[in-house]
Amino acid sequence: MDFTLQLPQGSLVIKNTKGSSFVTAVAGGRKPELNWLKQSAAHSSIYCADKGLEACLDAGLTPQLLCGDADSAGKSYWQRAQELQIPMLKFNPAKDDTDLQLLLTQLPREQALLITGIWGGRFDHLFSNVYSILAYKAKTGVPVIMADDKELMVLLQNGESLEFTPQQSFEALSLLPLADCCVSISGVRWPLQKAELQQSRSYSISNEITAPVVQAACHNGYVGFYVKTAGSSLL
């Protein structure tokens, strides 16, 4: 089965996967640009983790679940969520799991996942986000896209491939070995054909898009297909 998602950055087709519909999860990292969020999350159910509530409400979107310990989103947002009767799962701040990790346990596992609000800020938060989401991908096998208006990464596992038709300019394209993996990529300045990538030697970064469509495949392991929008600045 193929899964297709249209984002402002371009069109994604993920092949040899499952799931035809998707949900959007909004975490508490860098806030996505509001028009990007409204466009990208259209026609999907929305879930948010604590401070992700701010981005949702500011964009005029009503989550169907709010999950967290209420220590990062402003009190006025939590009050508004109560007024809107948004279902909540509220936890004690003295907990082991992060708000995002708790939210991931509540998502429908048969639908693809577009997750935003995970970039920017502290490296330890980003590290936890990426590998928590990778664990979710490993358990569910559904398409997972981590994105905002500045950065996008598609997680691919054994047997999956994608076609990316860009609609913006990009500063860089990288294949990130999230585990030792075998990958192929075409439509770029430095193509690869069944190349072995190791976590300890990430040499497949800072590639350049040279064709109208980029194709990438993961033959085994796990890899992140990552692009950074040209002109954007990382926090």
Side-chain angles (χ1 to χ4, degrees):
M1 179 185 295
D2 295 348
F3 171 76
T4 301
L5 181 64
Q6 183 66 45
L7 293 173
Q9 288 99 324
S11 175
L12 277 169
V13 180
I14 304 174
K15 300 184 175 184
N16 301 320
T17 187
K18 62 181 182 179
S20 56
S21 59
F22 74 102
V23 299
T24 300
V26 185
R30 182 175 63 210
K31 182 184 290 188
E33 195 274 326
L34 299 183
N35 286 330
W36 181 94
L37 179 58
K38 285 190 283 188
Q39 182 177 342
S40 300
H43 313 300
S44 73
S45 300
I46 300 169
Y47 297 74
C48 65
D50 208 338
K51 196 172 183 179
L53 176 67
E54 296 185 2
C56 290
L57 295 186
D58 289 348
L61 303 173
T62 302
Q64 71 175 53
L65 180 67
L66 168 60
C67 182
D69 53 20
D71 69 347
S72 54
K75 292 183 180 179
S76 62
Y77 285 92
W78 277 87
Q79 182 178 352
R80 190 172 166 201
Q82 291 179 324
E83 294 169 354
L84 292 171
Q85 298 183 329
I86 296 172
M88 301 179 186
L89 285 176
K90 200 169 181 179
F91 296 88
N92 189 318
K95 62 187 189 318
D96 292 328
D97 292 330
T98 66
D99 292 330
L100 174 59
Q101 289 167 343
L102 294 169
L103 179 65
L104 290 172
T105 67
Q106 303 300 315
L107 300 180
R109 301 204 163 195
E110 70 281 0
Q111 293 178 278
L113 173 61
L114 170 64
I115 185 161
T116 190
I118 48 88
W119 302 108
R122 288 166 33 180
F123 175 75
D124 55 345
H125 288 171
L126 178 59
F127 182 91
S128 175
N129 288 344
V130 169
Y131 280 94
S132 296
I133 296 166
L134 180 63
Y136 178 87
K137 165 75 175 177
K139 289 179 182 177
T140 64
V142 299
V144 174
I145 302 96
M146 306 163 60
D148 64 9
D149 50 294
K150 296 177 175 63
E151 298 175 85
L152 178 150
M153 185 162 70
V154 182
L155 302 185
L156 295 176
Q157 66 181 13
N158 180 25
E160 291 181 338
S161 61
L162 66 74
E163 292 183 354
F164 178 57
T165 305
Q167 295 178 348
Q168 296 181 2
S169 297
F170 293 92
E171 183 174 314
L173 181 155
S174 299
L175 292 179
L176 305 179
L178 302 174
D180 291 353
C181 55
C182 178
V183 301
S184 297
I185 188 168
S186 62
V188 294
R189 183 176 179 183
W190 295 284
L192 297 172
Q193 180 63 35
K194 292 190 175 180
E196 299 287 342
L197 300 183
Q198 298 177 333
Q199 278 186 309
S200 59
R201 185 169 177 258
S202 297
Y203 66 85
S204 55
I205 63 171
S206 298
N207 213 327
E208 299 172 12
I209 297 174
T210 59
V213 179
V214 177
Q215 297 181 317
C218 180
H219 305 293
N220 62 53
Y222 293 93
V223 69
F225 174 90
Y226 171 90
V227 291
K228 179 178 179 290
T229 306
S232 65
S233 60
L234 296 183
L235 299 179

